[in-house]
Amino acid sequence: MTITRKDFPDNFTFGVATSSYQIEGAAHEDGRGPSIWDTFCREPGRILDGTNGDVACDHYHRWPDDLDLIRSLGADAYRFSVAWPRIQADGQGPVNPKGLDFYERLVDGMLERGLKPYATLYHWDLPQALQDVGGWVNRDTAFRFAEYARIVAERLGDRVASYATLNEPWCSSLLSYQLGEHAPGLRDRRLALAAAHGLLLGHGEAIAAMRDVVHSAQLGIVLNLQPAYPASERPEDITAARFADGTFNRWFLDPILRAEYPADIWEAYGEDVPEVQPADLARIAQPIDFMGVNYYSRSVNGAGGNVRPPESSYTHMGWEVYPQGLTDLLVRLKEDYANLPPLLITENGAAYPDEPLGKRVQDPERVRYLQLHLEAVVQALRQGVDVRGYFAWSLMDNFEWAYGYSRRFGLVYVDYATQERILKDSARWYRDLLTGQAQAAPLP
Ligand code: FCB
């Protein structure tokens, strides 16, 4: 199948995505306070190549050129995130005017270029001062987050088309507080589940705070969802897949869309479950205008652990390329959740070890990945799933968290020594798709 823009509804939004800590740099400028990622990166052994986000893609200074670049790709929209420590250095208290000014210029810059701003309020860079008093485990952080959300929404208002509260709360709780792979790098399941609850509550409180402030802007949340398949039809493998789905997907979907935690997983977690106050779930489950889905891969679960199908291909992250999982996931969301709001694919993409040859970067595997996943979205649309947009992760190569700069997800190559941006073939392919040129088939 060769996809073209005509396979998508007329008002379908295409964009590219980034996040603040991964691209901005300027870590100590204009009153930005330290975040948990500044701290984490300085702990030996945390980041594969020992790097940090101090400079990253220097987007804080190069944003006008970067917005021109996004425009040149034919994108309708740009998904970016706001760094909380730029707005309030300590996560509470005085507002830093220079921080708000930066995002206002950025948003106005998008509007001048005909790009719709899609903001995410929390893409993991928690102010360190809040971590010092417990981070998301401390219930008060949820209320500090809502206050910060209101401050941003009051300033940027309906110039922003869409506000997502959180990016991937599974990552900022379980991956960060139980598996220890992301900041703050703890290894405690009880704390991780308390953090997840704090994040969900913060989401609900932030939606409520922003509802009072904006009118046309769409409000929602972004989850990373990973469909879980059993390795075989054996009952123990089916049980393993159900558990993986429950901990990874339903633990976040059910509170937001059904005002309840999944009973099977609640029971399995035993004494580690979070303390939930009576009004919390209603607060978490208030109506949202969209749900953002970040999709990269699936899991294949056996009773003895995860399985890697040998016939599949894998990205530089070691993630299986499995586009059918995206169709299955989207259809399943529609079937399982009566209250499902319209969906956006807020991230999808792949890392490969790209090398420039002069001014060209050939990345046929990424082109293939994008093509197959866009086809998977078309399949879901044909099955009646209400998907409103697609954002490629990422605009450009950037600081890939625990992998530092060693994994490249960009459509645009970044030479970190010179900060030069070079369009990869995938960027050209995406541009041709978006601008309706014939070139939607994979490049040779
Ligand atoms: C997602 C994150 C994003 C990026 C991609 C590869 O989990 O939201 O920042 O790191 O993975």
Side-chain angles (χ1 to χ4, degrees), residues 231 298 300 306-315 318-322:
R298 66 163 169 174
V300 182
N306 281 14
V307 172
R308 284 167 67 87
E311 68 284 3
S312 290
S313 62
Y314 293 84
T315 71
W319 297 345
E320 183 188 358
V321 178
Y322 194 70

Side-chain angles (χ1 to χ4, degrees), residues 18-19 22 79 123-124 167-168 171 182 224 294 296 317 319 347 393 398-401 409:
T18 65
S19 90
Q22 294 180 275
R79 175 173 178 246
H123 203 124
W124 309 348
N167 180 69
E168 302 190 348
C171 290
H182 279 187
N224 51 322
N294 292 354
Y296 290 93
M317 298 296 281
W319 297 345
E347 287 181 27
W393 183 271
N398 57 47
F399 178 76
E400 180 46 39
W401 308 113
F409 273 92

Side-chain angles (χ1 to χ4, degrees), residues 205-408:
E205 293 295 336
I207 294 282
M210 290 191 289
R211 281 278 176 228
D212 292 344
V213 177
V214 299
H215 307 285
S216 60
Q218 303 284 293
L219 307 181
I221 186 171
V222 171
L223 301 182
N224 51 322
L225 300 175
Q226 183 166 289
Y229 298 81
S232 78
E233 291 310 307
R234 294 204 322 241
E236 52 275 33
D237 291 355
I238 293 173
T239 303
R242 174 122 189 108
F243 184 74
D245 178 59
T247 55
F248 205 95
N249 302 317
R250 288 184 284 123
W251 194 257
F252 296 92
L253 286 165
D254 288 13
I256 296 166
L257 298 175
R258 290 189 178 142
E260 64 189 24
Y261 278 107
D264 55 336
I265 307 299
W266 183 271
E267 198 188 316
Y269 277 148
E271 292 185 348
D272 289 344
V273 295
E275 189 190 321
V276 176
Q277 295 190 9
D280 287 0
L281 282 156
R283 204 69 181 151
I284 293 167
Q286 60 195 290
I288 48 176
D289 307 317
F290 70 91
M291 174 162 287
V293 174
N294 292 354
Y295 178 83
Y296 290 93
S297 190
R298 66 163 169 174
S299 65
V300 182
N301 303 271
N306 281 14
V307 172
R308 284 167 67 87
E311 68 284 3
S312 290
S313 62
Y314 293 84
T315 71
H316 197 195
M317 298 296 281
W319 297 345
E320 183 188 358
V321 178
Y322 194 70
Q324 179 65 41
L326 179 53
T327 308
D328 292 351
L329 168 68
L330 295 171
V331 170
R332 175 267 178 114
L333 289 174
K334 172 177 142 78
E335 284 171 356
D336 283 4
Y337 293 94
N339 280 334
L340 190 71
L343 301 176
L344 290 172
I345 309 303
T346 33
E347 287 181 27
N348 175 241
Y352 290 105
D354 308 304
E355 292 281 354
L357 271 173
K359 296 284 173 209
R360 181 148 182 219
V361 181
Q362 291 178 278
D363 59 342
E365 292 167 298
R366 185 174 292 101
V367 172
R368 179 168 172 276
Y369 183 99
L370 295 174
Q371 162 123 9
L372 291 173
H373 287 80
L374 282 163
E375 286 173 10
V377 175
V378 170
Q379 294 303 338
L381 286 165
R382 289 186 182 156
Q383 293 180 56
V385 186
D386 186 3
V387 187
R388 304 276 174 97
Y390 175 95
F391 291 78
W393 183 271
S394 179
L395 165 65
M396 57 186 162
D397 298 334
N398 57 47
F399 178 76
E400 180 46 39
W401 308 113
Y403 292 86
Y405 297 96
S406 73
R407 294 294 183 279
R408 293 182 176 272

